[in-house]
Amino acid sequence: MIVQNLQLPEIPDRLYIRASDRDIKLQKKNMGVYAQGEVAFTTYYNSFALKKWKKYTDIGTVSLALTAKGRFEVTLLGFEILHGLKAVWNMQKNSFVKRTLDKKTFSVQETTECEIVYPECECELLAFTIRAFEHSELYGGAYCTSIDEESLPEVNLALAICAYKREQYIKANMAMLNETIFSNNHSILNDHVRVYIADNGQTLKKEEIESETIKLFPNINSGGSGGFSRCMIEALADKDRYNLTHIVLMDDDIFFTHDVIARTYTFLRLLRKEHSNIVISGAMIRMDTPHIQHTSGEMIKPAEIVQHKHGYDLTTIRAIVLNEIEKPINYCAWWYCCFRLEDTLRANLALPLFFQYDDTDWGLRNKGLEKVVVSGICVRHETFDAKRTGWKDYYSIRNRLVVATRHRDSAFRGCGKLYFQAHIFIKILHRIVFFRFNDAELMMKAVEDYCRGMEWLGSVDPAAVLQDVQRYAAKDVQKSVFTGIRLTVRLLRLVWSFGLQFKKIAAQYHENYHQYITEAFWRSYLGLQEEGVQTSGI
């Protein structure tokens, strides 16, 4: 059984291979290795995260199968992170060693599958190198296991994409899926993937997007929470018909590959029974510099969101190896998040926060679900700095207050009235001090809207709120000391009144919360027909 395919680039790229131009020749479907040339697959996309797969799956013995011809030597490598006394001896925190596990020479004149088995080891990562004694050709390869595929449970994925006027990304990703999966009978994903797109902007054309396996649903502009909830509802409606087992939530402004979906699919099929309800969190790679990792798992805390392994250069072996150290994560961002598609999801959809913190809330709410980041399961995403606009501060502070109020028993344990007052005061005062008066007013509006409670949040027109917020952001405010003083006085009054109301507001959020995450609520909110009736449009 293939566990992970090798990815051969069409141009030199150290995320895939390490070699000099004089040693190799890259072509569309194969790679030539010149005599005495060497190529290393000690890379982010072509190494194999053995320890993590052994922990969560029944992978068994791993072998390397290469489709090649020529005379060449394959060297099997393992990278082990040193812990305890071994690390002390090396006098370096998070040190690691490279181990040579085996070597084998192949001499084949015709294209042949050449296999070599990795010995048992405790390495975090497996990799290999190829050294050619004469000109050789590599046509592909994979890390494999001897497990019988027919004994494994069936996995069928629903890819759920919330879209808002990002036609370029949607069309490119759908073209990739059509080419590599839906029209490719040799793909392991063929007949195991369906796509559900909630079009919040209603700018995509059905005739350009839809097919038997890709469904497009015009949706009101209800943000990520509304778009993803719509996708979940539609996938649940198809669950029994197509035997859908898992759903993958994905942003609309990302690029991903066939291999990312294939790794997710295989990992899920091999999962051990005790890990069957696991949530897979995709790492985020920067769109502008695709060798730099933005985050590999996140942890929300009262004062910050911790982005694990931020800034790692994935062309370096050290970063690739240390990327395998597991860090605690309490939510999985919805740019790529995979979990079981179960009927219980009908009462476990997103909270209507429009966008920002809807994934955080869902993750904290489902704190009993195990969460993991798997190497190579990642997406390229625009950086948040590139997308930053002032009006987003409104949603950031309003939604963070809602989530913090709701989860004072977990991530925000011990956060009382004074914490919330200080959080509000510091955030908004910072804007005032730096003459960002529009942002300060927006954030004060956010606090005022938070104080309206869950009932207001679940009944207000999200598009109207967005328009109102954007008008605030575009408003011309005189930048003077007098304006700063006026806003500071308003801020002090707001913080004081917030403190007086806090206990009552917090109680209301806790009491009313559950009725706003159900399928019945979302069908009403989005203007959909009752369950069992066709919902292909609005």
Side-chain angles (χ1 to χ4, degrees), residues 52 67 104 125 128 134 136 174 220 255 381 470:
K52 193 166 288 182
T67 304
K104 188 173 182 179
L125 282 177
F128 67 98
E134 59 185 43
S136 302
M174 292 310 103
I220 66 170
F255 285 128
H381 197 296
Q470 289 177 330

Side-chain angles (χ1 to χ4, degrees), residues 287-337:
M287 186 79 75
D288 55 345
T289 50
H291 63 289
I292 300 297
Q293 181 172 262
H294 181 76
T295 181
S296 179
E298 297 185 294
M299 186 87 176
I300 188 167
K301 295 183 177 181
E304 61 180 339
I305 292 180
V306 179
Q307 296 172 330
H308 296 312
K309 293 109 176 212
H310 175 75
Y312 275 27
D313 182 349
L314 298 177
T315 62
T316 67
I317 293 179
R318 180 175 179 80
I320 297 167
V321 177
L322 298 186
N323 212 32
E324 292 307 304
I325 297 176
E326 287 201 80
K327 299 283 188 179
I329 56 178
N330 57 9
Y331 80 97
C332 303
W334 283 358
W335 53 67
Y336 193 97
C337 176

Side-chain angles (χ1 to χ4, degrees), residues 178 182 191 193-196 209-215:
N178 280 320
F182 303 137
D191 291 331
V193 173
R194 296 186 63 80
V195 182
Y196 298 84
I209 300 294
E210 275 207 329
S211 66
E212 175 60 30
T213 49
I214 301 174
K215 297 301 177 185

Side-chain angles (χ1 to χ4, degrees), residues 13 97 119 137 177 221 227 287 293 388 477 536:
D13 189 332
V97 292
E137 299 281 340
L177 292 175
N221 186 14
M287 186 79 75
Q293 181 172 262
R388 191 72 189 169
V477 179
S536 60

Side-chain angles (χ1 to χ4, degrees), residues 159 161 167-184 195 197 208-211 213-214 254-258:
L159 307 186
I161 302 174
E167 295 87 350
Q168 176 186 354
Y169 292 98
I170 296 294
K171 290 178 180 179
N173 287 325
M174 292 310 103
M176 180 274 295
L177 292 175
N178 280 320
E179 179 183 354
T180 60
I181 299 177
F182 303 137
S183 62
N184 179 10
V195 182
I197 304 172
E208 295 179 355
I209 300 294
E210 275 207 329
S211 66
T213 49
I214 301 174
I254 63 170
F255 285 128
F256 61 97
T257 65
H258 166 275

Side-chain angles (χ1 to χ4, degrees), residues 320-453:
I320 297 167
V321 177
L322 298 186
N323 212 32
E324 292 307 304
I325 297 176
E326 287 201 80
K327 299 283 188 179
I329 56 178
N330 57 9
Y331 80 97
C332 303
W334 283 358
W335 53 67
Y336 193 97
C337 176
C338 175
F339 52 89
R340 288 192 70 85
L341 184 66
E342 297 180 320
D343 288 334
T344 54
L345 192 59
R346 298 181 191 278
N348 191 26
L349 301 174
L351 193 68
L353 297 176
F354 194 73
F355 89 124
Q356 290 192 351
Y357 291 98
D358 46 355
D359 49 4
T360 308
D361 168 69
W362 195 92
L364 296 178
R365 187 197 320 159
N366 292 277
K367 58 186 176 183
L369 296 179
E370 199 172 16
K371 301 169 180 71
V372 66
V373 183
V374 182
S375 181
I377 297 180
C378 61
V379 298
R380 289 173 57 192
H381 197 296
E382 289 185 11
T383 60
F384 297 114
D385 292 341
K387 300 193 296 181
R388 191 72 189 169
T389 53
W391 60 265
K392 292 183 180 179
D393 281 341
Y394 166 85
Y395 293 99
S396 179
I397 194 166
R398 187 197 73 181
N399 295 351
R400 187 179 178 90
L401 286 171
V402 173
V403 172
T405 302
R406 271 288 303 136
H407 299 287
R408 290 167 65 203
D409 62 336
S410 55
F412 293 85
R413 185 183 299 277
C415 295
K417 179 176 71 175
L418 290 177
Y419 160 78
F420 287 93
Q421 287 177 303
H423 178 78
I424 293 166
F425 182 77
I426 292 170
K427 285 274 188 182
I428 300 176
L429 184 64
H430 177 268
R431 270 67 176 178
I432 295 173
V433 168
F434 287 93
F435 286 81
R436 292 170 57 183
F437 296 148
N438 288 56
D439 294 348
E441 283 203 77
L442 272 174
M443 295 175 80
M444 282 189 268
K445 173 178 170 52
V447 177
E448 291 164 354
D449 286 349
Y450 160 82
C451 292
R452 294 171 184 256

Side-chain angles (χ1 to χ4, degrees), residues 191-205:
D191 291 331
H192 295 291
V193 173
R194 296 186 63 80
V195 182
Y196 298 84
I197 304 172
D199 182 15
N200 282 1
Q202 301 192 30
T203 56
L204 295 168
K205 298 178 181 178

